[in-house]
């Protein structure tokens, strides 16, 4: 993973906005620019430009970062990354796995985070799961369909709950003759039998998704690979860093780690990056 991240991230960085970028390519609200300038007490356009380029870089990366994670990581854990044309029976899927021994077809739609879904998208995904279940079963000689809507980071507490509505739509649109075997009430999962075919759909967010994909250490393996690919080891600063974000110093406080804590593939200076990434997979650190 580390080597592939390093290669693909370098390619991505090469395509980001550069010094010869034009203003028309930024698509930024002029009103936002003015409000932000007031907040920062900017007096010259040169001041806002220093903030504009990094902001565009972040938005450009958001578009492709999640897709890169999927394409690199899924094959590591035995899954196939799906690239299919629209309106085919696999067009809903980002990843799939056929478990020949159990006759199960496993498919997943993946989103980068817990708040990327809206009502319309939730309805379409729910309808497609029900509508495509039989074609998946026929195409892959499966007797069971196991579908996951997964968010690559975040928690269910951080979710806008639109993802849960996928499960509700599956419940509402499942075939009339089908038999409900697990209710979606007070649950993030549903399953039903449609004749000999068993269908289940589950929402998995952050750590739940990574454990489902590759076991309890998969998220840690991902984080370590990303850190090693993107962050060079450094010497410990002589004085503590000062942060604008109020809780960042607490999040990055290495003294909270148990005595003897060690991640052998990381250097000491990279541990704060591990805490930084880990905070994106939980609602907080327990003391």
């Amino acid at each position: 993973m580390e080597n592939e991240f390093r290669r693909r991230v370098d390619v991505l960085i090469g395509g980001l906005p550069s010094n010869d970028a034009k203003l028309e390519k930024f698509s930024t609200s002029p009103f936002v620019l003015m409000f932000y300038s007031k907040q920062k007490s900017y007096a010259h356009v040169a001041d806002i430009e220093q903030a504009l380029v990094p902001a565009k870089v972040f938005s450009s990366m958001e578009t492709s970062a999640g897709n890169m994670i999927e394409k690199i990581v899924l094959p590591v854990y035995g899954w196939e990354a799906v690239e299919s044309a629209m309106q085919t029976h696999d067009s809903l899927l980002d990843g799939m796995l056929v478990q020949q021994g159990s006759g199960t077809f496993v498919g997943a739609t993946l989103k980068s985070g817990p708040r990327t879904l809206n009502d319309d998208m939730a309805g379409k995904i729910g309808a497609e799961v029900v509508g495509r279940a039989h074609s998946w079963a026929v195409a892959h000689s499966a007797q069971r369909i196991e579908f996951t809507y997964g968010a690559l980071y975040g928690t269910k507490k951080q979710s806008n709950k639109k993802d849960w509505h996928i499960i509700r739509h599956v419940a509402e649109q499942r075939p009339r003759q089908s038999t409900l075997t697990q209710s979606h009430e007070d649950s993030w999962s549903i399953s039903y039998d449609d004749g000999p075919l068993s269908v289940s759909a589950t929402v998995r967010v952050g750590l739940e998704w990574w454990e489902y994909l590759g076991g309890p250490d998969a998220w840690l393996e991902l984080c370590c690979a990303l850190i090693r690919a993107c962050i060079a080891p450094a010497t410990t600063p002589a004085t503590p860093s000062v942060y604008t974000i109020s809780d960042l110093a607490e999040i990055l406080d290495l003294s909270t780690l148990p005595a003897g804590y060690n991640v052998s593939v990381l250097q000491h200076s990279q541990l704060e990056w591990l805490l930084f990434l880990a905070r994106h997979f939980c609602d907080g650190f327990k003391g």
Side-chain angles (χ1 to χ4, degrees):
M1 279 195 291
E2 175 189 344
N3 290 335
E4 190 64 11
F5 276 132
R6 185 176 286 110
R7 183 183 71 81
R8 293 205 186 197
V9 169
D10 286 343
V11 173
L12 174 62
I13 291 173
L16 293 175
S18 59
N19 292 334
D20 60 353
K22 296 184 181 299
L23 182 61
E24 64 184 276
K25 300 294 185 181
F26 282 73
S27 302
T28 305
S29 166
F31 315 122
V32 171
L33 297 179
M34 296 305 296
F35 300 160
Y36 186 77
S37 296
K38 177 176 175 57
Q39 179 191 20
K40 296 296 184 179
S41 299
Y42 289 155
H44 303 283
V45 173
D47 298 327
I48 188 68
E49 191 223 11
Q50 297 304 310
L52 190 57
V53 173
K56 180 59 178 178
V57 167
F58 275 116
S59 65
S60 297
M61 286 188 175
E62 288 280 359
T63 305
S64 53
N67 183 262
M68 182 194 297
I69 296 293
E70 296 165 15
K71 296 298 185 292
I72 293 175
V73 176
L74 287 172
V76 171
Y77 295 104
W79 286 52
E80 176 186 344
V82 178
E83 294 188 37
S84 58
M86 296 299 292
Q87 306 308 319
T88 67
H89 70 271
D90 285 341
S91 62
L92 175 65
L93 303 176
D94 296 306
M96 57 176 278
L97 173 69
V98 180
Q99 298 175 342
Q100 301 290 355
S102 63
T104 301
F105 172 79
V106 182
T109 291
L110 302 175
K111 297 296 181 183
S112 59
R115 301 188 184 97
T116 58
L117 205 64
N118 58 42
D119 289 322
D120 184 56
M121 293 168 64
K124 289 180 178 178
I125 292 173
E128 285 201 56
V129 170
V130 174
R132 298 183 188 276
H134 276 279
S135 64
W136 288 336
V138 171
H140 302 286
S141 301
Q143 293 78 50
R144 175 173 173 77
I145 302 300
E146 191 173 292
F147 174 82
T148 292
Y149 174 89
L152 299 182
Y153 68 88
T155 68
K156 285 177 177 172
K157 182 178 179 180
Q158 297 166 10
S159 164
N160 60 11
K161 304 304 183 288
K162 304 297 184 184
D163 40 16
W164 178 85
H165 287 281
I166 294 172
I167 308 302
R168 177 176 64 81
H169 284 289
V170 171
E172 293 173 352
Q173 299 187 49
R174 66 185 174 88
R176 292 185 178 181
Q177 74 276 7
S178 64
T179 302
L180 190 67
T181 56
Q182 179 188 342
S183 173
H184 69 292
E185 298 293 340
D186 300 318
S187 175
W188 292 73
S189 185
I190 184 174
S191 59
Y192 63 87
D193 289 343
D194 185 12
L197 179 64
S198 296
V199 180
S200 69
T202 304
V203 172
R204 294 180 167 92
V205 180
L207 292 179
E208 296 171 332
W209 159 250
W210 290 106
E211 182 167 359
Y212 176 73
L213 176 68
D217 294 330
W219 76 274
L220 183 59
E221 293 167 353
L222 167 74
C223 290
C224 288
L226 282 169
I227 292 169
R228 285 173 59 91
C230 300
I231 307 299
T235 56
T236 303
T239 58
S241 300
V242 178
Y243 302 101
T244 301
I245 301 173
S246 61
D247 60 344
L248 201 52
E250 181 181 358
I251 292 170
L252 304 182
D253 182 9
L254 297 177
S255 67
T256 62
L257 294 177
Y261 183 84
N262 180 42
V263 180
S264 60
V265 297
L266 297 179
Q267 299 298 315
H268 188 269
S269 67
Q270 295 171 317
L271 288 179
E272 66 175 14
W273 287 94
L274 181 58
L275 294 177
F276 181 65
L277 290 182
R279 183 59 180 84
H280 291 77
F281 294 87
C282 63
D283 295 313
F285 294 152
K286 293 182 180 180

